């Protein structure tokens, strides 16, 4: 490896990149590189002078992998400095028995496969997607990375998902679990779907609107992933959430204001459960998750968008 970073908007605060010291160019293998977060992460890596290496499932240019066959192309991780594993079955409902099995197996089998490849290649860093659903419904509690797991379907999925990195941990890799909250951007994720009723002047709170929602802008999500790649002292679970969680009612108010729409039309919990199914409606919309980004803040990460109003304006305007 040789060269130096060129800087850019995605530099990690407190990292050697931000301080301007010479660094070698990094090669970062990414699963899910064409997805919502993966495409922005790839662009950010290129912007700062690094080389994103997509691990593809089709026969297009670049290394490939096949989860069903349990195969990663030989040599795919050669000269790779870090792996960012983002691939997984979308969790959009309805959650049929078959859909639940795909959600679980895509994460567990895919992560186990990547983890074993990391172990075999001796790759030093694995940053693996995870989710705040690990915690389940925590009510009014402030939730840092030491909080206990919940008991629902998604809590079980995330627990198994994180456990699947065991081969990489055993091989001595530094493994980071991205316990992501709602990632805000008008171009992908959940936010565009939430914007639809507001465009029709029917937006408002979900359920009683008192449940805590944790969130992070796409820009801060990507910056935080780069920060975690750079900072060798961070391992284990990391809450990918701003320091400003809000109740659902306040979240919807901020979304309405950013769109120039009212936020007075509530969607009752029974309606959400009827349309989405109880398990999905509760886990994705009605449970209370008041995350504290303790690991990120301890490592010196500074959020560009810590407050919901400015974050929502950035997300909707972007």
């Amino acid at each position: 490896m040789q060269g130096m970073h060129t800087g850019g908007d995605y530099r990690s605060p407190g990292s050697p990149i931000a301080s301007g010291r010479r660094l070698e160019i990094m090669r970062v293998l990414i699963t899910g590189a064409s997805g919502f977060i993966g495409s922005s992460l790839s662009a950010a890596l290129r912007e700062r002078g690094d080389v994103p290496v997509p691990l593809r499932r089709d026969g297009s240019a670049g290394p490939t992998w096949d989860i069903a066959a349990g195969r990663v192309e030989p040599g795919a991780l050669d000269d790779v400095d870090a792996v960012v594993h983002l691939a997984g079955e979308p969790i959009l409902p309805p959650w049929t028995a078959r859909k639940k099995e795909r959600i679980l197996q895509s994460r567990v089998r895919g992560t186990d496969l990547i983890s074993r490849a990391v172990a075999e290649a001796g790759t030093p860093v694995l940053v693996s997607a995870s989710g705040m659903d690990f915690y389940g419904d925590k009510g009014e509690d402030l939730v840092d990375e030491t909080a206990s797991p919940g008991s629902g379907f998604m809590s079980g999925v995330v627990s198994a998902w994180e456990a699947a990195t065991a081969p990489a941990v055993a091989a001595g890799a530094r493994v980071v679990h991205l316990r992501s909250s709602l990632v805000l951007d008008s171009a992908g994720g959940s936010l565009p779907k939430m914007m639809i009723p507001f465009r029709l002047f029917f937006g408002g709170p979900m359920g009683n609107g008192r449940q805590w929602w944790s969130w992070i802008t796409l820009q801060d999500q990507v910056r935080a992933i780069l920060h975690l790649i750079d900072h060798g002292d961070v391992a284990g679970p990391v809450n990918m959430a701003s320091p400003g969680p809000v109740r659902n009612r306040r979240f919807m108010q901020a979304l309405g204001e950013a769109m120039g729409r009212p936020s007075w039309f509530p969607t009752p919990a029974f309606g959400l459960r009827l349309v989405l199914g109880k398990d999905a409606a509760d886990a994705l919309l009605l449970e209370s998750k008041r995350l504290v980004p303790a690991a990120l803040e301890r490592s010196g990460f500074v959020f560009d968008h810590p407050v919901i109003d400015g974050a929502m304006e950035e997300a909707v305007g972007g």
Side-chain angles (χ1 to χ4, degrees):
M1 299 186 301
Q2 60 184 353
M4 62 182 297
H5 290 286
T6 60
D9 291 341
Y10 287 95
R11 289 177 295 179
S12 303
S15 75
I17 296 165
S19 63
R21 295 203 303 272
R22 182 178 178 85
L23 284 178
E24 296 175 332
I25 291 174
M26 296 182 70
R27 288 172 52 83
V28 180
L29 188 82
I30 305 173
T31 72
S34 62
F36 170 47
I37 295 172
S39 57
S40 292
L41 176 63
S42 297
L45 284 164
R46 286 191 293 268
E47 182 180 339
R48 73 178 201 169
D50 289 332
V51 179
V53 181
L55 185 62
R56 306 180 189 278
R57 296 184 182 180
D58 56 28
S60 58
T64 62
W65 67 321
D66 186 330
I67 297 176
R71 176 183 177 276
V72 176
E73 181 179 317
L77 274 68
D78 288 354
D79 300 319
V80 165
D81 301 288
V83 172
V84 179
H85 174 46
L86 302 174
E89 173 79 13
I91 62 172
L92 295 176
W95 284 357
T96 61
R98 186 175 179 181
K99 175 69 171 181
K100 283 184 173 181
E101 186 65 14
R102 289 203 306 269
I103 289 172
L104 174 64
Q105 292 303 327
S106 71
R107 284 159 174 76
V108 173
R109 294 178 64 184
T111 303
D112 177 74
L113 180 59
I114 288 297
S115 183
R116 292 181 185 280
V118 165
E120 182 177 347
T123 308
V125 181
L126 170 60
V127 177
S128 185
S130 180
M132 67 177 176
D133 294 309
F134 173 88
Y135 302 111
D137 190 345
K138 285 294 191 277
E140 296 295 306
D141 292 349
L142 290 169
V143 180
D144 67 11
E145 289 85 357
T146 66
S148 61
S151 58
F153 165 69
M154 281 304 300
S155 296
V157 167
V158 177
S159 293
W161 191 3
E162 293 186 358
T165 62
V169 175
R174 178 172 65 88
V175 176
V176 178
H177 302 290
L178 305 173
R179 288 185 180 167
S180 294
S181 58
L182 290 168
V183 180
L184 306 185
D185 190 82
S186 62
S190 301
L191 193 64
K193 299 175 182 63
M194 296 181 195
M195 293 169 68
I196 294 171
F198 281 92
R199 291 196 179 99
L200 301 173
F201 292 87
F202 285 111
M206 297 185 180
N208 63 21
R210 290 188 53 78
Q211 69 273 30
W212 288 95
W213 272 24
S214 293
W215 54 271
I216 187 171
T217 62
L218 176 61
Q219 180 176 334
D220 276 339
Q221 176 86 1
V222 170
R223 290 179 60 249
I225 293 173
L226 296 180
H227 177 88
L228 293 167
I229 292 171
D230 295 341
H231 282 68
D233 57 342
V234 183
V238 176
N239 286 346
M240 301 290 281
S242 82
V246 293
R247 296 190 189 275
N248 172 263
R249 184 178 299 277
R250 178 72 183 88
F251 182 98
M252 293 302 180
Q253 178 188 9
L255 177 55
E257 290 174 351
M259 295 181 64
R261 296 290 193 273
S263 56
W264 54 268
F265 197 88
T267 305
F270 78 83
L272 293 169
R273 289 169 177 151
L274 182 65
V275 172
L276 303 179
K278 185 179 186 305
D279 286 351
D282 287 354
L284 302 180
L285 301 174
L286 299 174
E287 288 183 351
S288 190
K289 301 178 181 75
R290 192 181 181 187
L291 269 59
V292 176
L296 275 176
E297 292 187 324
R298 234 180 1 252
S299 68
F301 184 78
V302 178
F303 289 84
D304 278 349
H305 303 106
V307 179
I308 190 62
D309 299 288
M312 199 65 80
E313 289 175 7
E314 170 69 21
V316 171

